[in-house]
Amino acid sequence: MVAAALDASQVPVDVAQRVRNGFDALSPEVRRAARWMVGHGSEVAMLSMRQQARNAGVSAPTMLRLARALGFGDYAALRRPFQEAIARGPLNFGERATALQSTPRSTRLDALSIELAKAQIDDVQSVRALNSALAIEATVKAIAAARRVGFLGVRSSFSIAYQFRYAYNLIATNGTVLDGLGGILLDQAEMFDRRDVLVAISQAPYSSPTVRVLDAAQRRGVTIVALTDSTLSPLARHARHTLLYRT
């Protein structure tokens, strides 16, 4: 129950931003603690510091060093935003599914439609919970100023990239989707340079082709916008702008 209470993508925005900004300066052991923390928000909120250290495979003082490296006075101050996120009561899909299955068959379809509508509304509202207004505004400005905007997503993320390109092209004519047909994904990415923006989409487990394209694009100075599930994902590590979504 604890592990399901707070999704990794719901790590408090302020904490996630601090981790991302300071990650490169951390020691290897503190980096290990940071990666564990970002992926185990519920345990950060609920377990003792020593138990968290054991689960992360580091020493207890390392957790304290992590808190101080992120600008918190002590580990209790670091935990507080996670505990507040738990208190806000995120969705518990397991309990909802069980309740739905026990609903009489005659009303099950109506109950399901209500649940689906509420879930979609909650997902849209989570954009503001996971991303600051300033981050969203900065991303929009970068896209609006670009000569060309590319949308990249492979496998399960391709449909998202395609929909983004379709919607974007309703208001602008400089959007294109990188579909990689015939294995030419890297070739398609070569048309982008520092005047352009590449919007890349992926979640864990992250797509290797997407990461390879971002490696090449970053070397050419392309502005990368990452839509992903963690500030420590390979996409975010390449990106100038990162927007998180709940998985």
Side-chain angles (χ1 to χ4, degrees), residues 18-168:
R18 293 189 193 201
V19 171
R20 185 185 182 197
N21 291 343
F23 190 77
D24 290 337
L26 301 177
S27 69
E29 186 174 18
V30 178
R31 285 186 185 185
R32 187 182 312 127
R35 288 186 183 278
W36 179 88
M37 180 187 69
V38 169
H40 299 82
S42 301
E43 294 175 54
V44 175
M46 305 295 291
L47 301 180
S48 70
M49 185 180 75
R50 292 187 180 278
Q51 182 60 57
Q52 291 176 47
R54 285 194 292 270
N55 292 352
V58 299
S59 66
T62 297
M63 306 304 288
L64 180 57
R65 288 198 296 273
L66 171 62
R68 289 176 174 168
L70 298 180
F72 294 94
D74 52 29
Y75 201 72
L78 171 60
R79 293 180 64 195
R80 195 167 298 119
F82 290 86
Q83 293 168 333
E84 291 171 353
I86 288 282
R88 286 194 292 268
L91 295 172
N92 188 321
F93 291 107
E95 291 182 1
R96 290 189 175 197
T98 299
L100 180 62
Q101 290 168 353
S102 64
T103 302
R105 188 177 299 274
S106 60
T107 60
R108 188 173 298 175
L109 182 59
D110 183 55
L112 178 59
S113 66
I114 294 172
E115 288 293 314
L116 288 174
K118 187 178 187 307
Q120 291 176 353
I121 292 170
D122 289 342
D123 283 342
V124 172
Q125 291 175 337
S126 76
V127 173
R128 290 301 301 273
L130 298 176
N131 306 284
S132 70
L134 289 177
I136 295 172
E137 182 179 3
T139 301
V140 170
K141 286 182 176 179
I143 292 173
R147 177 192 63 160
R148 180 186 291 114
V149 180
F151 298 91
L152 170 63
V154 303
R155 302 188 179 95
S156 63
S157 297
F158 177 76
S159 61
I160 303 172
Y162 188 89
Q163 173 62 23
F164 263 108
R165 194 278 308 172
Y166 176 81
Y168 178 78

Side-chain angles (χ1 to χ4, degrees), residues 159-232:
S159 61
I160 303 172
Y162 188 89
Q163 173 62 23
F164 263 108
R165 194 278 308 172
Y166 176 81
Y168 178 78
N169 279 13
L170 294 177
I171 58 173
T173 59
N174 62 333
T176 183
V177 64
L178 282 68
D179 53 29
L181 289 176
I184 62 168
L185 194 57
L186 282 171
D187 297 320
Q188 290 177 323
E190 286 182 358
M191 72 176 69
F192 294 88
D193 60 30
R194 64 183 62 255
R195 297 169 293 177
D196 305 319
V197 165
L198 182 58
V199 180
I201 307 149
S202 188
Q203 64 189 48
Y206 307 102
S207 164
S208 296
T210 298
V211 175
R212 286 196 294 270
V213 167
L214 295 191
D215 283 336
Q218 187 180 46
R219 289 194 295 270
R220 292 195 299 277
V222 179
T223 296
I224 296 171
V225 171
L227 304 183
T228 188
D229 58 351
S230 169
T231 56
L232 298 185

